Amino acid sequence: MNEKIIILDFGSQYTQLIARRVRELNVFCEILPFHAQIEIDDTVKAVILSGSPFSVTDEKAPRVDLDWIIGKLPVLGICYGAQLIAQHFGGKVERSLKREYGKARLSQVFKSELLLERIPADTQVWMSHGDTITRIPEQFELLAGTESQDVAAFKAIDQAFGAPVYCLQFHPEVTHTLHGLAILDNFVHHISGCHQDWTPDSFAEESIAALKKQIGTEHVLMGLSGGVDSTVAATLLHHAIGDQLICFFIDNGLLRKGEYQEVLDSYEQLHLNVVGVDAKQEFYNALAGLTNPEDKRKAIGKTFIDVFEREARKIPAVEWLGQGTIYPDVIESISVHGPSVTIKSHHNVGGLPEKLHLKIVEPLRMLFKDEVRKVGFALDIPSNILNRHPFPGPGLGIRILGEITPEKVSLLQEADSIYINLLKKHGLYEKIWQAGAILLPIQSVGVMGDERTYERTVVLRAVNSLDGMTAEWSRLPYDFLAEVSSEIINQVKGINRVVYDISTKPPSTIEWE
């Protein structure tokens, strides 16, 4: 079983980033809410206390009993975590007159130590806190400060607690801390003693063995979307149980042009046992007359469940439902503000396990999106599948504003196909995180030949992002945009205007609905 580091989450916006950085160092880590009951066994090598939007001076600030952690395992407190440790052991934490946010430099290094080994003097770090540690506890010693504050890094005096305790009042996990990854490497490798052997290949190998043991001779049913998550999850299951895995790929009539057959052909290459289901008309019927985005999403989700349930009942002896749930879905389903758990409904499958009386298997539930791709490459899944842009579950249903009709779907499919194919032709597709076309519910006047036209408008959207939480619009070349516009207007009868979306997320979203 893999070694791991536990991150106790106090609600910081950077908590997932800490986990991603630790995993980049080939060390498995798990995020748990601060109030979780942790079972410490031989696999747990260290604990990291995250930052928080709260102040340790607030009565309702989240707290944890540090006595059961300190001295038993190496501990790293980051920002709020450092302030919590300082306060707990008798140090002084005060509200700052102004929030300390932004770049700073470790201009004062009082003691060169393991945590700061290989870190150059005057390195840039990133601050984001409203409290300041003005006095460290007696059992601790100062390691470094910045030009504006004396306390930026400190540690427990050797042998004070029996296990190392380190504290940082800056964020090593963000890229603005230029040597932050090296600091985390010092903690997980040199201080915690992790062997750094958690790799995509080892994950795949261990997952396949675990799935074989978990499922045995039983059968698994899984709905595939054609996307990266469901494809990698299905491939892991197939490696483990072969044709005991039965998959559905449902054509909801809202896929990209030619996508249904392309995806089925890809799954055939992977030797997956996939049943294609043409349910276009059922989805169109369910969407007729709907214009509200949430109503459309609900109609698409309900119809998916109805079709899946109907097809599933044709297959006897199925005991499991496979899902492509990934780690952000799991994290977001748990509240850090109390012991209550909020259940997050996963893509398109809400209610299915209960309706079909199936157990759930989620091979990717501990992976981030970028890790899923790496595991996919370890499983030899073709790059044309793994490098596909994310595509929303409701498909073109949330890229057609207003009522959805087969005619509008066909119109958007043609425009979108031209856009995506030209991105690939010009070598831009893999430089962009996600791209697509949106059909607006408006018409505008144009001129084609000697005739005036009154036709539809298409929006082109392209964004760059790491995980979709934030996104920056892609700076596509003007000549390229001009070519796309010309091709769409000339080839797609019914569209006479093309515009480009230059909105970031936030405040906008990636999709329009």
Side-chain angles (χ1 to χ4, degrees), residues 228 373 377 382-390 429-430 432-433:
V228 174
R373 280 196 171 89
F377 281 114
S383 60
N384 66 305
I385 297 177
L386 295 176
N387 291 331
R388 286 185 67 198
H389 287 181
Y429 184 82
E430 292 192 6
I432 293 168
W433 190 73

Side-chain angles (χ1 to χ4, degrees), residues 462-474:
V463 297
N464 285 59
S465 177
L466 289 174
D467 52 19
M469 301 299 291
T470 61
E472 182 73 23
W473 63 276
S474 303

Side-chain angles (χ1 to χ4, degrees), residues 109-367:
V109 178
F110 304 108
K111 184 175 181 181
S112 180
E113 220 277 350
L114 269 180
L115 188 68
L116 301 179
E117 196 172 80
R118 297 176 292 129
I119 308 304
D122 211 34
T123 186
Q124 178 180 292
V125 297
W126 183 259
M127 297 287 185
S128 179
H129 57 89
D131 288 349
T132 299
I133 300 168
T134 55
R135 188 183 71 239
I136 63 173
E138 290 182 4
Q139 307 98 311
F140 290 75
E141 59 184 332
L142 204 52
L143 296 180
T146 69
E147 62 273 22
S148 61
Q149 59 180 295
D150 291 333
V151 182
F154 58 103
K155 60 160 285 195
I157 297 169
D158 292 340
Q159 308 307 318
F161 300 107
V165 182
Y166 289 87
C167 298
L168 301 173
Q169 204 165 203
F170 58 87
H171 289 271
E173 68 274 21
V174 302
T175 54
H176 297 302
T177 297
L178 298 183
H179 295 89
L181 192 61
I183 293 172
L184 289 172
D185 183 40
N186 286 338
F187 180 73
V188 303
H189 185 202
H190 299 296
I191 295 168
S192 303
C194 293
H195 290 91
Q196 298 176 280
D197 56 3
W198 192 72
T199 64
D201 291 278
S202 69
F203 175 86
E205 184 179 334
E206 291 173 18
S207 293
I208 290 166
L211 289 167
K212 282 181 181 178
K213 185 176 180 181
Q214 181 182 11
I215 296 164
T217 59
E218 297 181 331
H219 288 75
V220 178
L221 192 60
M222 187 169 182
L224 301 182
S225 67
V228 174
D229 299 341
S230 66
T231 301
V232 175
T235 304
L236 276 172
L237 283 164
H238 177 72
H239 277 265
I241 61 172
D243 284 345
Q244 292 167 233
L245 171 68
I246 303 149
C247 302
F248 289 147
F249 180 50
I250 297 173
D251 185 356
N252 60 9
L254 304 169
L255 302 172
R256 284 178 154 149
K257 182 181 178 181
E259 187 172 27
Y260 180 61
Q261 193 56 51
E262 286 174 14
V263 171
L264 283 178
D265 291 344
S266 297
Y267 287 148
E268 187 175 349
Q269 292 175 22
L270 293 171
H271 306 294
L272 295 177
N273 182 12
V274 181
V275 178
V277 181
D278 183 351
K280 291 192 291 287
Q281 197 56 52
E282 288 180 65
F283 282 87
Y284 292 152
N285 292 342
L287 288 164
L290 300 181
T291 59
N292 180 277
E294 191 58 28
D295 291 342
K296 290 194 290 184
R297 284 179 177 272
K298 287 178 180 177
I300 293 167
K302 181 181 182 304
T303 307
F304 180 93
I305 290 172
D306 292 343
V307 172
F308 193 100
E309 184 180 4
R310 183 187 68 221
E311 297 298 320
R313 295 198 184 282
K314 298 177 184 177
I315 300 172
V318 171
E319 295 85 4
W320 295 84
L321 179 69
Q323 292 186 195
T325 310
I326 61 176
Y327 201 34
D329 298 326
V330 176
I331 297 166
E332 289 163 16
S333 72
I334 302 172
S335 169
V336 301
H337 302 296
S340 62
V341 175
T342 305
I343 303 300
K344 178 178 178 178
S345 58
H346 299 305
H347 308 296
N348 297 328
V349 297
L352 275 173
E354 294 82 5
K355 282 189 176 185
L356 297 173
H357 307 291
L358 300 177
K359 298 171 282 188
I360 295 177
V361 57
E362 299 169 313
L364 308 177
R365 66 177 281 110
M366 298 309 291
L367 296 185

Side-chain angles (χ1 to χ4, degrees), residues 35-83:
H35 49 72
Q37 296 297 314
I38 300 176
E39 190 174 319
I40 296 178
D41 55 30
D42 292 341
T43 66
V44 181
K45 295 299 180 182
V47 174
I48 296 176
L49 308 181
S50 83
S52 175
F54 292 92
S55 164
V56 294
T57 62
D58 293 342
E59 286 185 15
K60 294 184 179 179
R63 301 187 186 281
V64 64
D65 181 8
L66 293 174
D67 291 332
W68 65 266
I69 307 173
I70 302 291
K72 297 179 176 63
L73 293 166
V75 172
L76 174 64
I78 295 176
C79 200
Y80 179 90
Q83 293 158 3

Side-chain angles (χ1 to χ4, degrees), residues 469-483:
M469 301 299 291
T470 61
E472 182 73 23
W473 63 276
S474 303
R475 272 62 172 176
L476 296 178
Y478 292 155
D479 289 346
F480 169 79
L481 291 172
E483 182 180 349

